[in-house]
Amino acid sequence: MKIMMSAGEASGDVHGAGLAREIKKISPLTELFGLGGNLMAAQGVKLVRNYKDYNVMGVVEVIKNLRRILKLLDDLTEIIRVERPDLLVLIDYPDFNWRLAKRAIGVKILSYIPPSAWAWRKGRAKDCAKIADVFIAIFPFELPVYQAAGAKIFFLGNPLVDTVKPSMSRSEARKFFHVEESEQVILLMPGSRRQEIKLLLPPMLGAVKILSANRRVKFFLPIADGVEQLIDTAGLDIKLVNSARRYDLMQIADAAMATSGTVVLEAALLNLPCVVLYKMAPLNFFIGKLLVDIKFFSLPNILAGEEILTELLQEAVTSEKISAEILKLLDNRTEIAKKLQAACAKLGEPGAAFRVAKKILETANDQSY
């Protein structure tokens, strides 16, 4: 059996590697190939193209590289025509993957992490349902809009339940990071994108100044590789730590100020409450308000259906408000942690990658599609 996978960015490479590992455990002779990265290759996926050779960000960069991206689309289309895989698995990366899906004539298609039609452009669900045979979502709230569109969609759990694990115990972590039991720990997580850091780090640093005058606190800032030059803590007592250690930090932290995104959900899985921040250019925000239809923008709040974590948006992202909300978190941490546990329980039991791998093999084998 032949299964082609298409993952065009770092997060997709992580997901694809997890799925490939489980597929090979269940069905060792299955041939896996496609677009991906080094992690997928390490788990037995034959890379016909490496996404790193084509990965660009921003409108200008996409336009500059449009010819190469279109050539990649043509190349993968020809590979599908020649290889005739039993199944094409699209892993997130919607702008590219759904163009590829439209070209995969006569090939079964499974979408893992489908476009976020639940949040904006709900009409996409109908368009996608006409193309893919099976959809697998990683959040339960994604199902209704696709079900209404007639899609065959499943929620089999979220892979973060398995992967968000500290590498050491709480006591070991405290010793490793030189944190005494009497000291509180606050994390700064401004994101890894240049624009996020530019907009959100300064008010975070201002909040550190305010909090340092009120509490005996240690501040840590996990940073991703390649963004060190963007971080300037302006002489404040903030320890920079490689982001690979963030789960160990999260389990000993008392609160965090964080850019909205997956990192907030990772923190929630470790019972760490965050003040969630989001800020963008005014024009982008105006356009976003017209397109996006959601009550909350942080994943734990969306899962819970209520505002467990304080969300600060645009002009509300100030040092004064961040520090005030951090103090509220510290005073109500136990109650908030319980609510986070209840919200994260909706992500399902451990073993999501195994269940998704079984569904992929089942779909590839099913002759009824």
Side-chain angles (χ1 to χ4, degrees):
M1 188 162 58
K2 295 195 289 188
I3 295 174
M4 181 172 175
M5 307 173 87
S6 180
E9 55 193 343
S11 61
D13 189 28
V14 173
H15 289 301
L19 296 180
R21 181 181 63 249
E22 299 302 325
I23 288 170
K24 286 291 188 179
K25 285 181 184 176
I26 301 167
S27 178
L29 297 181
T30 297
E31 181 183 347
L32 301 175
F33 64 96
L35 171 68
N38 297 339
L39 296 178
M40 288 170 62
Q43 296 299 330
V45 180
K46 179 184 176 183
L47 297 186
V48 296
R49 297 291 186 277
N50 193 312
Y51 83 87
K52 288 187 177 180
D53 296 329
Y54 303 88
N55 198 226
V56 293
M57 289 182 66
V59 175
V60 174
E61 287 302 311
V62 169
I63 292 172
K64 285 182 180 178
N65 290 274
L66 188 57
R67 183 174 294 180
R68 291 178 63 247
I69 295 170
L70 291 175
K71 177 64 164 58
L72 171 64
L73 196 58
D74 289 338
D75 291 347
L76 294 180
T77 302
E78 178 62 13
I79 289 168
I80 291 172
R81 188 192 68 79
V82 172
E83 295 292 338
R84 304 303 299 173
D86 296 287
L87 182 67
L88 170 62
V89 179
L90 311 175
I91 304 175
D92 202 1
Y93 204 52
D95 290 336
F96 181 89
N97 272 338
W98 287 93
R99 285 175 171 80
L100 180 64
K102 289 176 183 178
R103 294 173 171 220
I105 308 300
V107 174
K108 283 183 290 187
I109 297 172
L110 183 147
S111 170
Y112 181 57
I113 313 178
S116 302
W118 59 274
W120 67 296
R121 286 174 56 196
K122 290 181 169 57
R124 289 182 295 172
K126 286 186 178 180
D127 296 333
C128 293
K130 294 174 184 176
I131 299 171
D133 299 280
V134 174
F135 296 77
I136 300 177
I138 61 171
F139 296 107
F141 52 74
E142 297 181 89
L143 272 58
V145 66
Y146 277 97
Q147 290 169 336
K152 191 171 185 179
I153 186 165
F154 302 88
F155 170 67
L156 301 174
N158 190 296
L160 288 178
V161 174
D162 290 294
T163 58
V164 178
K165 304 290 183 186
S167 67
M168 57 184 79
S169 69
R170 284 178 60 85
S171 60
E172 288 172 336
R174 281 193 169 271
K175 288 179 182 177
F176 183 84
F177 294 111
H178 305 290
V179 177
E180 297 177 14
E181 286 296 330
S182 60
E183 293 177 314
Q184 291 182 307
V185 173
I186 296 176
L187 304 189
L188 285 71
M189 299 188 287
S192 59
R193 295 184 177 91
R194 182 181 297 271
Q195 189 68 4
E196 291 174 337
I197 295 171
K198 180 182 177 181
L199 291 173
L200 295 173
L201 185 59
M204 286 185 180
L205 296 179
V208 168
K209 290 181 182 178
I210 296 170
L211 291 166
S212 297
N214 288 287
R215 300 271 181 129
R216 189 184 179 203
V217 178
K218 280 201 170 181
F219 296 93
F220 292 86
L221 198 165
I223 55 171
D225 291 335
V227 301
E228 295 90 343
Q229 72 278 10
L230 303 178
I231 303 297
D232 180 5
T233 57
L236 294 171
D237 189 12
I238 301 171
K239 185 172 177 58
L240 303 184
V241 178
N242 190 289
S243 63
R245 291 282 187 184
R246 67 186 182 279
Y247 298 156
D248 294 310
L249 270 175
M250 285 177 182
Q251 73 163 333
I252 64 169
D254 297 282
M257 47 190 92
T259 302
S260 179
T262 303
V263 70
V264 176
L265 187 58
E266 291 176 330
L269 283 162
L270 292 169
N271 298 323
L272 173 62
C274 301
V275 176
V276 189
L277 316 175
Y278 198 73
K279 195 172 185 179
M280 61 180 76
L283 179 59
N284 291 340
F285 179 66
F286 175 75
I287 295 171
K289 281 187 71 175
L290 297 176
L291 296 175
V292 178
D293 181 25
I294 53 175
K295 189 174 181 180
F296 306 110
F297 60 81
S298 65
L299 290 169
N301 287 350
I302 295 170
L303 282 167
E306 64 172 307
E307 190 176 47
I308 300 172
L309 303 176
T310 297
E311 300 178 344
L312 299 180
L313 183 64
Q314 292 299 99
E315 290 81 8
V317 180
T318 67
S319 300
E320 291 74 19
K321 288 188 178 179
I322 294 171
S323 58
E325 293 300 331
I326 286 287
L327 291 173
K328 288 180 185 177
L329 285 186
L330 293 174
D331 291 339
N332 299 281
R333 192 186 190 289
T334 301
E335 180 185 348
I336 295 170
K338 286 180 181 177
K339 289 185 176 182
L340 289 176
Q341 284 183 326
C344 290
K346 297 179 181 179
L347 295 176
E349 298 294 324
F354 173 76
R355 292 189 292 272
V356 174
K358 281 183 66 177
K359 179 60 69 175
I360 287 173
L361 290 167
E362 175 188 307
T363 305
N365 274 310
D366 195 333
Q367 301 304 311
S368 65
Y369 293 106

